Amino acid sequence: GKVVGIEPVELANGSTVSAVVIENDFQNNWVELHPAEHPETLTAQELQTIVREAGIVGMGGATFPTQVKITPPKGKTIEKLVINGAECEPYLTADHRLMLEKPAEIIDGIHLMMLALDVKEAHVGVENNKMDAVEALRAAAKNVEGITIHDLPVRYPQGGEKQLVYAIQQAIREGRPLVQRVTTVGGLVNNPGNFLVSVGTPIDTLLEACGGMQSGARMLISGGPMMGMAITRTDIPVTKGTSGVLVLGEEAVDPVESACINCGRCL
């Protein structure tokens, strides 16, 4: 696309900000990318800078800047890197799909994070109801020193970091900023699935790709059923933190009471 202008936008609080207007040419042409040459020779600070300039953030929903996470405070050293390979919420399968299709890139991303943090040991935990993903990662890590894959009991909450290390691998190896992610579309849609989508893709485009919503749909959620947010419109974009789009029915609106899981939400 190309920038066609800058327009004032009035916010709900009455203040006005400037918005850059980009006209989509639907060509999906990339600018020339500049991947890091021989990243193994870069310093930890240089690798951290690549992560920052690629716009990489946490992709489970909170979108905390990753560069802050991988920059230890002065005087502190990191002994081990722990990668949380558990799918963070029910319904969501984007991370599982990514582990099955891109295990080599995920392991490479972990290796690059080890370089950026100057650590020799990394541990990846994946739930044991995804043993196919465990085996795929173990095979990919077989010849990479210091990375161990553990299978974990299935328990909520555990969270996930595979998309994050995959994004880091893309930024360093290919020079790509974070402009797309894998998003789950599930629940009461005709053909649920996982989609590699550009940030900014309208949610209604995702629902259309799934054949539309089924009858009985009562609630639309951006994210997962536990920590996601109910939304009332579909003309809003996928963001870096959109882990899923869920269409739920009566069970979401009138849930059956169950034992407290101590999530703390009521506080």
Side-chain angles (χ1 to χ4, degrees), residues 91 93 183-195 209-212 214 245:
Y91 283 94
T93 56
T183 296
T184 298
V185 185
L188 296 178
V189 292
N190 290 308
N191 297 294
N194 289 292
F195 297 85
C210 287
Q214 298 177 1
V245 177

Side-chain angles (χ1 to χ4, degrees), residues 16 20 26 36 63 75 108 116 144 147 158 182 192-193 196 198 218 239 241:
T16 301
V20 176
F26 298 98
T63 62
D108 189 34
V144 183
I147 300 178
Q158 295 201 80
V182 181
L196 180 63
S198 297
R218 294 285 302 277
T239 67

